[in-house]
Amino acid sequence: MAIPSISVEMEEDNNVSKEIEQVMSSGNFLHPSSAETNRASPFSRVSSAMSIISLTSSRLSGRLDIEATKSMCQKSLGLLLAFLSGVMMTAYSSMIKFLDEMDSMQVVVIRGLLQLVIMGSVACYKNYSFVGPRERMVPIVLFLVSLTGGLRLLFIFTSFSRLPLGDSTTIVFSSPVFVMLFSICILKEHCGLFRVCAGASLLGGVILIAKPPVLFGSTEESYDLIGYILVCLACLMSALGIVLTKKISKKLEKTVILFYLGLASSICGSVGLFSVGEPSNPPVWEWGLSFGIGVLGLVQQYCLIFAVTLESPSRVMIVRQMQIVLAYVVQSFSATYAHR
């Protein structure tokens, strides 16, 4: 785990300059008319210099404490937002199970359009630039973030409708394995022994949950190979998207990034819905539930992007692993309710 660094910017402080001038004038050892007094007091210059050093050091230590406290608060806020993001993702993924007639890809389209309209309106109201800085790599990285975000939603919603909630959530939340790899390659982060052990354990957990027939042999129950492939692809898209988002998070507003993610989700969801899905007109309560899923997904994604701007992607994704326990609790309650 990397040791947090503290950056200190030295700025000119007018108050310090005034206080130093007061100390200097109190000694009067620079004033021409006080030459005789300085000769009579040989320790006046030493005491004045010590006063200046003490005053400057107190100011510097105060600034160091402020910077350290600010950095610690930002990192704590980032981890808290990551935790809330995982809670909301577990919530809306469990809500998908209650949809009977509406196709999961239709929910992707609804969420994408909702995110597109809301974030586009906010960006226009605040006069944010939809292009960003004129750097060659920013549009390319933004396109990749949008593409991975749209495909991630498409894969997640489809896999959640085909697999048990606990299995699919566990595999999706195992994305830190890929986040660590992409962070090392793209963000040039340090790879320590802790990250290697954590990645190996998470990868082993994914294998134990998915139980591929190649390793565990065939079982009597039907094995949804397509569902597990989709959720693994969603895990990969999530990891790549979060690392690329970190790369441009300081150059683009979070609202603009969410706008393009909503646009990509609408396009990818529409393609999937009209190619392999089944558009339908479900009851009103399913429409309301789908809009609730869209709002939760929007807030969840905003919290995730905000968390990545404040903290390392690897730490953010590791904090989200605590939601695996919550997913299995929800799955056990759902199974108990279904048997009644």
Side-chain angles (χ1 to χ4, degrees), residues 26-175:
S26 64
N28 293 326
F29 57 88
L30 293 179
H31 200 276
S33 62
S34 61
E36 296 179 358
T37 306
N38 288 330
R39 293 192 192 97
S41 304
F43 295 103
S44 60
R45 296 186 181 181
V46 177
S47 61
S48 299
M50 294 297 294
S51 300
I52 295 172
I53 294 173
S54 176
L55 179 63
T56 305
S57 62
S58 63
R59 290 284 182 175
L60 286 177
S61 61
R63 290 185 182 180
L64 283 172
D65 293 338
I66 293 173
E67 291 293 333
T69 305
K70 183 179 179 181
S71 176
M72 185 63 66
C73 291
Q74 287 182 348
K75 291 180 179 294
S76 301
L77 178 60
L79 297 178
L80 176 61
L81 290 172
F83 178 79
L84 293 177
S85 172
V87 171
M88 285 182 281
M89 183 175 180
T90 305
Y92 76 68
S93 60
S94 61
M95 292 166 63
I96 297 175
K97 296 290 185 179
F98 294 98
L99 296 174
D100 295 328
E101 299 183 15
M102 182 176 288
D103 194 285
S104 59
M105 282 177 272
Q106 193 168 343
V107 183
V108 176
V109 177
I110 293 174
R111 173 182 164 173
L113 291 175
L114 193 66
Q115 185 168 321
L116 179 69
V117 172
I118 294 177
M119 292 296 104
S121 302
V122 173
C124 292
Y125 177 75
K126 294 190 175 182
N127 294 323
Y128 290 151
S129 174
F130 287 91
V131 181
R134 301 193 173 209
E135 298 181 13
R136 194 174 82 180
M137 292 302 297
V138 172
I140 299 175
V141 176
L142 182 59
F143 171 76
L144 293 175
V145 169
S146 305
L147 181 62
T148 54
L151 292 176
R152 180 184 68 88
L153 278 182
L154 184 63
F155 295 152
I156 283 178
F157 279 71
T158 307
S159 62
F160 279 172
S161 62
R162 301 173 65 105
L163 299 176
L165 178 62
D167 294 359
S168 55
T169 305
T170 301
I171 295 176
V172 169
F173 279 141
S174 300
S175 56

Side-chain angles (χ1 to χ4, degrees), residues 8 328 334:
V8 180
Y328 272 102
S334 300

Side-chain angles (χ1 to χ4, degrees), residues 4 34 42 90 130 204 209 213 217 242 270 279 286 291 295 322:
S34 61
T90 305
F130 287 91
I209 290 296
I242 205 70
S270 300
E286 287 200 15
F291 275 97
V295 173
M322 290 185 285

Side-chain angles (χ1 to χ4, degrees), residues 182-260:
F182 291 139
S183 297
I184 295 169
C185 299
I186 299 175
L187 302 178
K188 309 300 180 183
E189 290 188 356
H190 175 69
C191 179
L193 180 61
F194 173 76
R195 293 194 178 190
V196 174
C197 295
S201 61
L202 287 172
L203 187 60
V206 171
I207 295 175
L208 292 175
I209 290 296
K211 294 181 180 178
V214 177
L215 299 178
F216 292 88
S218 59
T219 58
E220 296 180 359
E221 300 179 358
S222 59
Y223 185 82
D224 195 345
L225 179 61
I226 297 178
Y228 283 108
I229 290 176
L230 289 175
V231 75
C232 289
L233 288 175
C235 178
L236 182 63
M237 293 295 106
S238 177
L240 182 58
I242 205 70
V243 173
L244 293 176
T245 301
K246 176 68 174 181
K247 194 172 182 64
I248 62 172
S249 61
K250 301 295 184 181
K251 300 178 181 179
L252 282 174
E253 292 290 339
K254 294 181 287 293
T255 308
V256 177
I257 297 175
L258 286 170
F259 169 79
Y260 284 108

Side-chain angles (χ1 to χ4, degrees), residues 22 79 91 178 267 313:
Q22 292 176 0
L79 297 178
F178 301 105
I267 296 174

